[in-house]
Amino acid sequence: MARALSLFWRQPFLALVVRRKPMLCKMSTDSHARKVFAAAVEAVQPNSVVRQSIERNGDSVIIDGHKFTLKRNLHLVGFGKAVLGMAAEAERLLGDHLVKGIVSVPHGIQQTLQQHGKDHLLLKENCGIKVMEGAKHNLPDADAQKAAEEIKHLASELTEKDILLVLISGGGSALLPAPIPPISLQEKLDVTRRLAAAGATIQELNTVRRALSDLKGGGLVHYAHPAQVVALILSDVVGDPLDLIASGPTVQSEVGPGEVLSVLERYKLLNSLPASVNDVLGRISQRTKGNKNEMDESEHVLNVVIGSNSIALECAGHRARELGFQPVVLSPRVCGDVRSVSRLYSLLARFACSREEPSAEIAAEILSLGPEVGVESRDLSQTMEFLDKGRTERWDATCLLAGGEPTVELTGKGLGGRNQELALRVGLEMSGLELPPNGPVFLSGGTDGQDGPTEAAGAITDAGLLMEAQAQGLDINSFLANNDSYTFFSHLSAGQHLLVPGLTCTNVMDLHMLLIPSVPTDKSQPTHQVCP
Ligand SMILES: Nc1ncnc2c1ncn2[C@@H]1O[C@H](COP(=O)(O)OP(=O)(O)OP(=O)(O)O)[C@@H](O)[C@H]1O
Ligand SMILES: O=C(O)[C@H](O)CO
């Protein structure tokens, strides 16, 4: 068996320190999962990521190893759901050199932050940064368009002596709408809505948005030229692609018209586009990419990712270690259909908890899922190697962490989100397996604190889910068929499985966690743990 597995694993064993701690019961594991999730969210708070990325040194500032001289020449713009807290911290650190600023933030956010006691993420009155709220329900609207116009105006007045600090986070696309004339805001919105409804990914959506917008795809840099542009980015896209996060206003788009047209064709929109959109797409086809102006403009830009899913996973790992788990990070790029993703986690649970050597078939199935769920074979192999070591060396507990953004194909009309649906599916799949009764526990949560249109961020499940649901007269499969995971978890055990952290003020996609207890390899040993 070991030989069979070694065919799949090419990476050397990781050096590990094995510690002995008391075995965990399921209730405490559940609370540990919540603590680890909280640490992940804490690591990517907008104010702390900005604080960590800006080094102030008298009248100069160092960002990502680059030094800039401050001479009352700093201007600030921002757009995105987490940008207010980022701007508040930037103002605290650099406010004495700030000339003017404008941030475009979600409708109602200031009031919400106040109500949640998050005053440290709000800007002081008269601080020189104008806060413009818009994009109700995450959709571009006239208010967001006005903010985009003011941001464009601010950028276009800058000279080579100026620095433009650009704060970017998820939701930035809707908060910076600047359709290229003659496209109207409504026409642009209709195109993106139809693409989204047809199942286009965020990469595809933003490929099209960039082509129809004056500020996206490097447009903002164009207006700010010749000023120095420094963009601090909180990433909410798998793989942190600079040109796609908030549709890349500070990154010259390398994508030609062919790619834009092929997205529109893929979702059968090509023959039903408004004349204005066809007009703009036609003009883009004639524009030559990589011309001298664009190269000059790019030389004045520094783009830095200051917060991401990887950073959240790293800090989650530290917290897990403090709580007595051996952490292992699978990948920050988990995506694909929620069914394949749930299959992956239930297989990993089975693999880790096997009382005998796990079979080569499980390992092979895990590896075969890789391409569907966006995880490299190397990462899967390393993780299995780690889990196998934990199993054979009888570690007290292991914490497998991953992140990303799976997708749900909506077929029902229920209330739920991809995290709750994933947790429900993993719980259901684990219920059919022979697993120790004290674990594993699975958590899936959106780091923004909101999973789909629900007040929960996600849910926590384990192998006892099916029995628990049956005892309470809840039929998991009918809830799943109706995409009604939130309703299911609200009814189950008075909502105890729901993860409800409230407003987190950040967003670096989702976090997945599998907490795996120590598994006795000797069959004679009991597996039941009693909670104190
Ligand atoms: N009833 C449901 N069950 C399962 N998934 C759902 C349901 N309703 C919506 N979703 C999924 O939730 C996702 C939208 O979630 P959410 O509102 O958390 O946005 P998001 O993708 O995290 O965007 P943002 O980064 O802007 O917050 C969509 O992918 C959608 O398929
Ligand atoms: O604003 C957007 O385009 C999405 O949140 C991805 O960054």
Side-chain angles (χ1 to χ4, degrees), residues 139-140 185-198 200 204-206 208-210 212 264 269:
L139 296 171
L185 183 63
Q186 191 55 48
E187 284 170 333
K188 189 170 162 221
L189 181 58
D190 284 347
V191 171
T192 42
R193 259 188 170 159
R194 282 163 64 199
L195 278 172
E204 291 168 326
L205 268 180
N206 286 359
V208 174
R209 275 169 163 165
R210 261 185 333 212
L212 307 183
L264 292 165
L269 263 70

Side-chain angles (χ1 to χ4, degrees), residues 81 138 171 236 405 408 410 414-418 421 448 450-453 483-485 507:
K81 295 184 187 177
N138 206 12
D236 71 332
E405 202 167 87
V408 175
L410 291 179
L415 193 55
R418 56 175 180 261
E421 181 148 338
D448 60 355
Q450 200 186 15
D451 188 31
N483 299 114
D484 209 10
S485 50
N507 181 12

Side-chain angles (χ1 to χ4, degrees), residues 14-67:
L14 303 164
L16 295 160
V17 181
V18 182
R19 290 177 295 166
R20 291 252 159 241
K21 287 256 172 77
M23 285 172 89
L24 297 152
C25 75
K26 210 147 63 176
M27 213 155 71
S28 67
T29 313
D30 180 299
S31 88
H32 287 327
R34 290 175 196 270
K35 284 179 187 156
V36 174
F37 179 78
V41 167
E42 189 56 36
V44 284
Q45 281 299 295
N47 54 335
S48 44
V49 290
V50 166
R51 193 163 51 245
Q52 282 154 21
S53 64
I54 291 180
E55 193 186 325
R56 178 73 192 266
N57 200 347
D59 281 346
S60 59
V61 59
I62 300 167
I63 296 175
D64 197 33
H66 301 259
K67 189 171 172 182

